[in-house]
């Protein structure tokens, strides 16, 4: 429940320098994601613009949602709980580079992200049982994707909505 508040999710997006990721981790190969729709696929709305990298706004949103460094140790806290989580990912060099980048970026916000590499069998077991704090996956999309399984609230317990999104507006 660290990211239940939409202000926290927005803060994470604003606080991660996605363009820097593309330049320094992905060797310049990629574009900043704006929506779940790739810009080359049907359903992409070119009027929607990417949120900027804005760590000041990210910090303000985190404060507004109750996450502050109450004890001065450099880590955000709320209700006596530190903002820390394990980021589980499949063991491979590319995923490790991404996880370490995220750890660094989130650390600048006072968030502790602990990368945890696991074998693919364990990754899929955790996915299917929903036993993870945060998980990183790659998604291979059909040229005409149907996001029902990934995003619809009815799929959050047994479908592919692994993040547990429950939002009538998205449905």
């Amino acid at each position: 429940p660290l990211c239940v508040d939409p202000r926290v999710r927005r803060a994470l997006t604003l606080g991660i320098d996605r363009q820097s990721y593309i330049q320094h981790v992905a060797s310049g190969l990629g574009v900043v994601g704006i929506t779940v729709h790739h810009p080359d696929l049907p359903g992409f709305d070119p009027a929607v613009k990417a949120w900027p990298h804005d760590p000041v706004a990210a910090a303000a949103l985190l404060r507004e949602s109750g996450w502050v460094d109450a004890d001065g140790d450099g880590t955000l806290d709320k209700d006596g709980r530190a903002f820390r989580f394990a980021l589980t990912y499949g063991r491979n060099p590319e995923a490790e580079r991404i996880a370490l980048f995220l750890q660094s970026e989130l650390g600048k916000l006072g968030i502790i992200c602990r990368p945890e590499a696991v074998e693919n069998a364990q990754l899929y077991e955790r996915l299917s049982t929903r036993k993870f704090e945060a998980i990183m996956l790659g998604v291979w999309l059909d040229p005409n994707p149907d996001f029902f399984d990934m995003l619809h609230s009815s799929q959050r317990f047994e479908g592919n909505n692994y993040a547990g999104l429950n939002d009538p507006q998205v449905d």
Side-chain angles (χ1 to χ4, degrees):
L2 293 172
C3 297
V4 169
D5 188 324
R7 294 172 295 186
V8 172
R9 296 191 302 272
R10 182 174 292 211
L12 295 178
T13 300
L14 294 171
I16 295 170
D17 188 347
R18 294 165 291 151
Q19 190 60 49
S20 177
Y21 163 78
I22 291 169
Q23 292 170 343
H24 302 290
V25 179
S27 303
L29 303 172
V31 295
V32 171
I34 300 170
T35 72
V36 295
H37 291 278
H38 188 279
D40 294 337
L41 294 179
F44 178 76
D45 183 353
V48 177
K49 301 301 177 200
W51 289 342
H53 174 234
D54 189 342
V56 173
L61 284 167
L62 289 166
R63 274 192 310 278
E64 188 180 298
S65 63
W67 290 100
V68 296
D69 182 9
D71 55 12
D73 66 354
T75 301
L76 298 179
D77 305 283
K78 181 177 179 180
D79 301 328
R81 178 182 182 188
F83 200 140
R84 80 176 70 228
F85 62 92
L87 173 62
T88 305
Y89 62 94
R91 189 177 307 280
N92 71 69
E94 182 179 359
E96 182 176 13
R97 286 191 301 273
I98 296 168
L100 293 174
F101 178 81
L102 291 173
Q103 179 184 42
S104 174
E105 290 293 291
L106 295 173
K108 295 172 189 174
L109 296 173
I111 298 169
I112 297 174
C113 169
R114 296 181 321 274
E116 178 188 21
V118 299
E119 298 302 326
N120 283 340
Q122 190 177 9
L123 181 76
Y124 294 116
E125 171 66 22
R126 290 187 188 187
L127 266 176
S128 65
T129 60
R130 302 326 198 243
K131 292 187 179 169
F132 57 87
E133 292 179 311
I135 201 158
M136 186 169 57
L137 302 169
V139 177
W140 188 266
L141 296 176
D142 183 288
N144 190 14
D146 177 358
F147 293 103
F148 180 85
D149 283 348
M150 287 175 51
L151 300 175
H152 197 274
S153 300
S154 67
Q155 302 301 299
R156 67 186 191 274
F157 298 115
E158 295 179 14
N160 293 333
N161 178 355
Y162 299 116
L165 181 65
N166 185 13
D167 187 331
Q169 186 177 0
V170 173
D171 292 348

